[in-house]
Amino acid sequence: MHDERWDRLTQAADALRERLEVSPRVAITLGSGLSDGFGLPVGGARIPCGEIPGFPVPTVAGHTGEFWSGRIGEVPVLLQRGRVHFYEGRTLDEVTFATRLFAVLGVKVLIVTNASGAIRPDLRAGDLVLITDHINMLGANPLHGANLDPLGPRFPDMSSAYTPRLRAIAHAAADAEGIQLKEGVYVATLGPSYETPAEIRSFRALGADLVGMSTVPEVIAAAHAGMEVLGISLATNLAAGVDPNAALSHEEVIETTKRKGAEMRRLLLAVLPRL
Ligand code: HPA
């Protein structure tokens, strides 16, 4: 069946491919504020999202919206700096456009980073947490609607979406760098309001350790397309009600991201050569 979503993806992939200096094997989607912490590697090519036909351009302040492609060490990488979120009013087709574009370009490994609120009591603001699994509370799934058969199956398995091989690599890289890397289950909410304490208590009862407003659609789309996924979250704050005396603010999220962005970068750079 003809699907215009596939046409849009292949057109965007053709346009992007012409601008790439390498054929990327790894894509890295950098979360809120983490693009700045990662910085731009030396050399390579920068491609603003707006120059890719059909690409949904991010609108949120602090999400710059560009790709960088090149080699980091030996590894051909495509960096996504800034992403679109469901809470912006975008469709999940738009939210996962870049992820699917990666698949069409032949990317095998997707690394996603995000900022999250810490639900589990032993987690602290500033912790780096390896995502082991997720809970989708968005009330929507990017695979809803006709299946994009060229990408993957109608009913994809999600049993090991956060690939065990990559989780082991992340731990090895963290150990080698002397970085503490905890583990946790991430629950995605729509946002943009932060959660209530009652919601956080209920998520905790469900088995969630971290809460955020991104990542889950991208990981579902990546798993559908057969990509391996590594998810690393920066717990930027305690989730609502975890500290009964604290209020949540976007400023705290930004502040923690600035403070710990370099450590996330160091971890990612140590992961890449091990992939
Ligand atoms: N809740 C949801 N999303 C977030 C949070 C949070 O506490 N912190 C950073 N992103």
Side-chain angles (χ1 to χ4, degrees), residues 63-191:
H63 297 257
T64 45
E66 66 172 357
F67 291 97
W68 174 92
S69 99
R71 277 182 199 279
I72 300 181
E74 299 291 307
V75 187
V77 174
L78 184 55
L79 280 185
Q80 181 189 2
R81 307 176 80 234
R83 48 148 70 111
V84 295
H85 298 84
F86 202 26
Y87 63 70
E88 294 173 63
R90 314 304 281 261
T91 65
L92 289 186
D93 264 335
E94 293 177 305
V95 171
T96 56
F97 192 88
T99 314
R100 288 174 163 162
L101 192 54
F102 301 153
V104 175
L105 289 169
V107 167
K108 303 295 176 214
V109 171
L110 175 68
I111 301 176
V112 279
T113 68
N114 62 37
S116 63
I119 299 176
R120 204 174 66 220
D122 67 283
L123 296 175
R124 296 280 166 267
D127 281 350
L128 289 178
V129 186
L130 182 65
I131 303 175
T132 56
D133 204 347
H134 75 220
I135 299 172
N136 181 4
M137 285 293 201
L138 297 173
N141 188 302
L143 309 184
H144 178 219
N147 187 46
L148 274 170
D149 292 329
L151 282 179
R154 171 77 291 191
F155 300 108
D157 179 27
M158 294 292 292
S159 321
S160 48
Y162 298 83
T163 319
R165 182 182 85 85
L166 299 185
R167 280 151 56 186
I169 285 174
H171 279 303
D175 288 350
E177 288 293 315
I179 293 171
Q180 190 183 33
L181 183 62
K182 297 184 178 174
E183 288 197 342
V185 173
Y186 176 92
V187 60
T189 60
L190 174 56

Side-chain angles (χ1 to χ4, degrees), residues 32 114-119 186-187 189 191-195 200 210-214 234-240 248-250 253 257:
S32 311
N114 62 37
S116 63
I119 299 176
Y186 176 92
V187 60
T189 60
S193 55
Y194 289 118
E195 302 68 37
I200 293 301
L210 301 166
V211 58
M213 305 172 193
S214 68
L234 172 62
T236 51
N237 55 283
L238 299 184
L248 263 63
S249 72
H250 185 58
V253 172
T257 309

